[in-house]
């Protein structure tokens, strides 16, 4: 991989300030070593408007590149090294279906504000913007849910029901105030038999990578590593988070690992999230504390971005043959609204 790495470095030197490589924490180390900016979804979205480079290469999944393209300045081009790296959860809320469900809820006299996890596509973000809603990430879901509650008489959280439920629990919204919608291909299934008057309505989507963890995984880890601390990403199921010692976004997990490494020398930390991040944390804090994944969790789509593909897109950029990510013009104003509302509410 020496040649590829050297090739990437040479192109970075050649393009200088005209190039910015951004990458999500779930990317593998071979890619992360070349990134100018790494972060979780929120940090990356916040950084895009500050980037002045002509070319932004985004190492992550499709919706992240789309959000970057939406927040980029006119004339800036955003490229994805792997166009087929797609977050499967982001496809669980097709925009026409979400619109249909919102129409059905409004027809019942409800003013439900949609709050969409950033892991959604552009068309869905546009529907959310149109209905007065906003985007959130796992790092600000609590702040954004409180904001959305004040904008209408209820919130439709989509697409991740686990993040929605975990956020609601953290805010003290009781289970009897929530309802996971039953949705079919034409909208709500048997609306009359559903508790549609609840304060928090949840779209029945989830991340298959995080939802696979089970409370027994936590119990087994505690038995194998007495005294260990267990933390996990809030895309995990509520019954898993209930038996953890802490939960939060990717940036929370990174900060907590650094804290444990500094304050609890020799201890064991179990982390329930994508394994690329966990292995990186384990290497970073080796000798201070032991960091172990809660279980096998590799996002196959994040893994589609490789160092070789990064090199290929950079070569195409220098040869002026790269195709930037194209986003549908008419979807941009409402979709941008849903993203900028988040950045405004969270103080940029
Ligand atoms: P973050 O919002 O923590 O970056 O997570 C994004 C994601 O895709 C988690 O699976
Ligand atoms: Fe999507 Fe889950 Fe992969 Fe995150 S880990 S990008 S939510 S599929």
């Amino acid at each position: 991989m020496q040649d590829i790495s050297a090739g990437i470095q040479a192109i970075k030197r050649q393009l200088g300030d005209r190039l910015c490589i951004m990458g999500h924490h779930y990317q593998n180390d071979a890619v992360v070593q070349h990134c100018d900016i790494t972060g979780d979804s929120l940090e990356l979205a916040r950084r895009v408007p500050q980037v002045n480079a002509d070319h932004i290469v985004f190492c992550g999944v499709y919706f992240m590149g789309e959000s970057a393209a939406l927040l980029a300045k006119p004339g800036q081009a955003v490229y994805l090294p792997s166009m087929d790296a797609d977050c499967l959860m982001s496809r669980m809320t097709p925009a026409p279906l979400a619109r249909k469900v919102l129409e059905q809820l409004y027809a019942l006299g409800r003013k439900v504000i949609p709050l969409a996890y950033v892991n959604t596509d552009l068309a869905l973000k546009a529907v959310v913007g149109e209905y007065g809603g906003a985007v959130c990430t796992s790092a600000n879901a609590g702040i954004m849910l409180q904001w959305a509650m004040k904008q209408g008489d209820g919130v439709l959280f989509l697409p991740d029901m686990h993040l929605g439920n975990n956020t609601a629990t953290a805010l003290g919204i009781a289970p009897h105030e929530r309802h996971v919608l039953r949705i079919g291909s034409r909208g709500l299934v048997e609306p009359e038999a559903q508790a549609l008057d609840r304060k928090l309505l949840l779209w029945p989507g989830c991340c298959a990578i995080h939802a696979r963890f089970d409370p027994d995984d936590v119990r087994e880890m505690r038995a194998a590593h007495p005294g260990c601390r267990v933390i996990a990403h809030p895309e995990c199921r509520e019954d898993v988070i209930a038996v953890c010692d802490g939960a939060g976004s990717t940036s929370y997990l990174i900060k907590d690992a650094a804290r444990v490494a500094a304050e609890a020398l020799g201890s064991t930390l179990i982390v329930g999230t994508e394994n690329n991040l966990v292995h990186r944390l384990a290497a970073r804090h080796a000798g201070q504390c032991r960091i172990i994944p809660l279980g096998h969790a590799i996002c196959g789509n994040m893994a589609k971005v490789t160092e070789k593909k990064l090199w290929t897109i950079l070569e195409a950029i220098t040869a002026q043959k790269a195709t930037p990510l194209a986003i549908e013009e008419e979807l941009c104003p409402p979709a941008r609204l849903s993203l900028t509302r988040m950045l405004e509410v969270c103080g940029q």
Side-chain angles (χ1 to χ4, degrees):
M1 293 297 159
Q2 190 54 36
D3 290 351
I4 295 179
S5 194
I8 293 173
Q9 292 304 328
I11 295 177
K12 286 188 72 169
R13 279 194 300 276
Q14 180 191 336
L15 292 177
D17 290 348
R18 296 179 55 220
L19 171 71
C20 178
I21 304 178
M22 304 183 83
H24 190 269
H25 289 306
Y26 288 178
Q27 292 294 301
N28 67 58
D29 287 341
V31 170
V32 166
Q33 63 171 333
H34 300 296
C35 292
D36 301 301
I37 299 173
T38 50
D40 66 8
S41 305
L42 180 60
E43 288 158 346
L44 292 170
R46 275 183 169 148
R47 293 294 293 275
V48 173
Q50 299 159 7
V51 172
N52 291 318
D54 301 332
H55 309 285
I56 300 175
V57 176
F58 202 103
C59 301
V61 285
Y62 194 85
F63 79 83
M64 296 180 175
E66 234 180 18
S67 299
L70 202 58
L71 294 169
K73 299 179 185 62
Q76 278 180 322
V78 176
Y79 308 87
L80 282 169
S82 188
M83 288 295 272
D84 62 344
D86 206 4
C87 165
L88 297 184
M89 180 164 68
S90 75
R91 301 295 175 192
M92 288 183 181
T93 333
L97 191 58
R99 186 186 290 286
K100 175 79 189 156
V101 168
L102 282 162
E103 279 167 8
Q104 287 175 302
L105 293 170
Y106 273 68
L108 292 171
R110 294 219 56 193
K111 189 186 175 210
V112 171
I113 302 299
L115 182 60
Y117 194 19
V118 69
N119 300 40
T120 43
D121 64 20
L122 187 75
L124 192 273
K125 288 187 178 86
V127 172
V128 167
E130 252 179 68
Y131 273 83
V135 159
C136 72
T137 73
S138 57
N140 63 20
I143 297 168
M144 292 309 297
L145 184 52
Q146 283 175 307
W147 170 86
M149 287 288 185
K150 288 189 203 129
Q151 312 302 310
D153 60 27
V155 172
L156 170 61
F157 191 94
L158 63 184
D160 188 356
M161 61 178 170
H162 298 315
L163 177 63
N165 262 324
N166 286 318
T167 307
T169 300
L171 291 179
I173 300 171
H176 69 263
E177 295 180 288
R178 318 172 200 166
H179 172 69
V180 178
L181 297 173
R182 291 198 305 282
I183 295 169
S185 57
R186 287 194 295 269
L188 294 169
V189 172
E190 292 182 39
E192 59 294 339
Q194 297 200 44
L196 301 178
D197 56 344
R198 302 253 170 108
K199 209 162 148 177
L200 180 60
L201 301 173
L202 299 147
W203 196 271
C206 68
C207 162
I209 316 300
H210 286 88
R212 109 167 32 121
F213 293 126
D214 188 273
D216 281 343
D217 296 331
V218 179
R219 287 184 202 111
E220 279 166 25
M221 281 296 182
R222 289 200 194 280
H225 306 281
C228 68
R229 174 173 168 81
V230 187
I231 56 176
H233 195 281
E235 284 176 15
C236 296
R237 285 164 23 193
E238 227 194 330
D239 56 356
V240 172
I241 298 300
V243 291
C244 285
D245 302 304
S249 67
T250 304
S251 47
Y252 162 85
L253 301 174
I254 293 170
K255 279 186 205 130
D256 202 61
R259 186 190 60 75
V260 168
E263 294 174 7
L265 275 182
S267 67
T268 300
L269 178 69
I270 311 294
V271 185
T273 195
E274 216 278 343
N275 291 175
N276 270 315
L277 173 64
V278 186
H279 293 318
R280 190 172 307 122
L281 292 176
R284 185 179 298 166
H285 301 299
Q288 294 169 290
C289 64
R290 202 143 71 104
I291 298 183
I292 304 172
L294 177 57
H296 178 77
I298 293 285
C299 177
N301 276 290
M302 284 279 186
K304 285 180 182 165
V305 182
T306 59
E307 193 183 26
K308 172 98 193 309
K309 287 186 186 164
L310 175 58
W311 189 32
T312 304
I313 193 79
L314 291 176
E315 283 197 310
I317 290 171
T318 53
Q320 299 186 348
K321 286 187 180 153
T323 312
L325 200 147
I327 49 178
E328 272 182 69
E329 265 320 305
E330 74 271 18
L331 296 177
C332 290
R336 199 173 284 122
L337 207 56
S338 70
L339 264 168
T340 48
R341 276 190 193 124
M342 169 185 82
L343 296 175
E344 276 160 22
V345 173
C346 297
Q348 293 289 330

